[in-house]
Amino acid sequence: FNLAKLPIYMEFVSYNGGLPSVTAVMINPPYDQRLAGYLSHGLPAARGIIREIGIAIQHAFVRQTQPLFRSVPDGAWSEAIGSLFANIIESNEWLSKYTPLTEDIAARYQMARSQRNLVELRMLLVELHFEYEAYRNPNRNLDRLYWDIFEEYLGLPRHDDIKPWAATVAYITRPVRLQNHLLAEIISAQTLAYLQRCNGSIINNTETRAFLIQNYFRFGSRFGWKALLERGTGEPLQPGYLLKRINFQ
């Protein structure tokens, strides 16, 4: 994708303290998409900006005449596209081509990433199940509920004297939306597996661009994300691809 020729406008400042942050704001899709934020050095910063660029690219290629369809499907889909772009830059192919990492360091990074993804997936399941159970019966002891679920999914010691669930901002800012994070990773993993199986290399391959535009982007919100995923990959949602990715390469 040639960003210089797309209606995507970016404004960033350098930032050396704390975590980098980038936000994509859709002003008037597909004619005006904007990204703003502060960046630092390193792969986490690169992953963050590529993720938001992927979301902006998706909106820029919507080709629908009806205003009703000029957005993208609600829920996990937009997040999945961002995740897809971000996951590409953590592949061995991208790391070997665009970073100075040696083969040994790249292999160590992949091992660390696999372990990180496993822990993050388990923590997401903790948060998801806690939110579900808390809404289902808010009168129970939420502290005990949290640590019961934590023990089940992580197998680590509990600390009943603290209340991590009370500090989870997502329960307030994005209520009942945590499942979209999980769905997004499954969609991303399934799409990447399909592209690798059909086209081999994903990076610098015009087939990657053509696939995304023709099967995912141009329809906007005319179809739901489940229909788009099956249209593109030939399969309904398959969680197995995410499990393979976590233990992969």
Side-chain angles (χ1 to χ4, degrees):
F1 292 97
N2 188 340
L3 295 181
K5 294 185 177 181
L6 292 176
I8 299 174
Y9 309 97
M10 295 179 276
E11 181 70 29
F12 300 112
V13 296
S14 178
Y15 182 70
N16 294 318
L19 295 175
S21 176
V22 181
T23 301
V25 181
M26 305 303 109
I27 302 298
N28 184 24
Y31 310 109
D32 187 353
Q33 290 73 220
R34 305 185 189 186
L35 279 76
Y38 47 91
L39 298 177
S40 58
H41 298 290
L43 198 58
R47 179 181 170 86
I49 187 173
I50 293 297
R51 180 187 184 281
E52 297 301 311
I53 285 174
I55 293 173
I57 287 175
Q58 174 186 212
H59 284 81
F61 278 97
V62 171
R63 296 293 181 265
Q64 296 295 314
T65 57
Q66 297 294 329
L68 183 64
F69 299 135
R70 285 183 188 158
S71 60
V72 300
D74 291 334
W77 189 250
S78 183
E79 190 166 337
I81 299 302
S83 176
L84 187 153
F85 276 75
N87 287 332
I88 285 176
I89 76 163
E90 289 191 317
S91 66
N92 280 328
E93 183 182 7
W94 194 91
L95 291 173
S96 63
K97 186 175 181 63
Y98 294 109
T99 74
L101 296 183
T102 65
E103 184 176 337
D104 178 62
I105 293 177
R108 288 163 54 194
Y109 172 77
Q110 294 292 5
M111 178 62 70
R113 180 170 76 90
S114 180
Q115 295 169 347
R116 182 199 71 198
N117 287 343
L118 181 58
V119 173
E120 288 179 348
L121 176 60
R122 286 180 174 271
M123 273 305 303
L124 178 57
L125 291 173
V126 170
E127 293 167 348
L128 270 169
H129 281 277
F130 173 81
E131 184 177 41
Y132 173 77
E133 293 295 338
Y135 273 108
R136 197 164 69 92
N137 182 5
N139 295 319
R140 70 177 72 187
N141 186 321
L142 297 180
D143 301 334
R144 184 183 305 153
L145 170 66
Y146 177 87
W147 287 112
D148 287 346
I149 298 173
F150 181 91
E151 274 190 316
E152 179 181 354
Y153 282 100
L154 269 79
L156 296 173
R158 60 194 295 147
H159 298 275
D160 291 280
D161 55 322
I162 59 176
K163 302 175 174 58
W165 64 269
T168 303
V169 179
Y171 294 145
I172 304 299
T173 59
R174 301 186 301 277
V176 200
R177 290 181 60 186
L178 283 173
Q179 71 276 5
N180 289 339
H181 297 302
L182 179 57
L183 289 171
E185 290 302 322
I186 297 173
I187 294 168
S188 170
Q190 183 170 329
T191 301
L192 289 174
Y194 174 84
L195 290 171
Q196 289 171 329
R197 185 168 64 247
C198 295
N199 303 326
S201 175
I202 295 176
I203 297 170
N204 287 338
N205 188 337
T206 56
E207 292 299 321
T208 302
R209 179 181 184 275
F211 170 88
L212 292 173
I213 292 173
Q214 293 299 317
N215 294 286
Y216 285 1
F217 296 169
R218 66 189 178 102
F219 295 109
S221 58
R222 183 174 289 276
F223 303 110
W225 67 262
K226 292 182 181 179
L228 292 174
L229 179 65
E230 189 161 359
R231 170 192 173 85
T233 66
E235 297 179 284
L237 188 69
Q238 299 289 343
Y241 289 110
L242 177 59
L243 299 179
K244 290 179 182 178
R245 180 178 178 274
I246 289 176
N247 297 296
F248 76 124
Q249 308 167 352

